[in-house]
Amino acid sequence: MMPTFRNGTGRSHRARAQRRDDLLALFERSEQSAVAFCREHGISKQTFYNWRHQARLRPTGFAQVAVAPNPAIRGEEIRIELSDGVTIGAGSGVDASWLAQVVRALKA
């Protein structure tokens, strides 16, 4: 288990990181400008832009994968569930490069 570090505000580093990630995901789903979003959520624009910049620098080439039998899936089908809840389903004949483009577009 990772240690939890607290700063002067009493919030743990992990809790602040989770809030940051939640807010970034919420912004991506919103149709607001960055300025309006920051104003609504009480975030400074500079902090928000820094969060977005840092998020873009994080490696995204690997994902945790779990393989589990699912009786509802027939034949050779694949279902990919992204961390934000989006699910992609494809049959065994799907073009791999097309599927990769779809995943990249959804993650952008």
Side-chain angles (χ1 to χ4, degrees), residues 10-104:
R11 292 185 114 175
S12 71
H13 174 73
R14 196 173 315 146
R16 287 190 324 274
Q18 184 62 51
R19 179 173 184 266
R20 176 200 63 216
D21 292 346
D22 291 346
L23 285 168
L24 287 173
L26 182 62
F27 172 73
E28 292 301 324
R29 291 189 304 269
S30 79
E31 295 184 7
Q32 291 180 297
S33 69
V35 173
F37 185 86
C38 291
R39 189 177 311 123
E40 180 178 326
H41 294 279
I43 308 164
S44 79
K45 291 181 289 186
Q46 185 58 42
T47 295
F48 179 74
Y49 290 128
N50 186 43
W51 287 353
R52 287 181 71 193
H53 176 72
Q54 292 300 318
R56 288 186 184 117
L57 296 178
R58 284 187 223 143
T60 59
F62 297 96
Q64 182 176 348
V65 175
V67 178
N70 185 339
I73 297 176
R74 291 179 227 101
E76 293 183 25
E77 295 182 356
I78 185 171
R79 190 179 85 198
I80 302 168
E81 187 171 331
L82 302 176
S83 60
D84 60 0
V86 173
T87 302
I88 304 166
S92 61
V94 70
D95 178 62
S97 63
W98 176 82
L99 186 56
Q101 287 176 346
V102 170
V103 172
R104 276 194 299 278

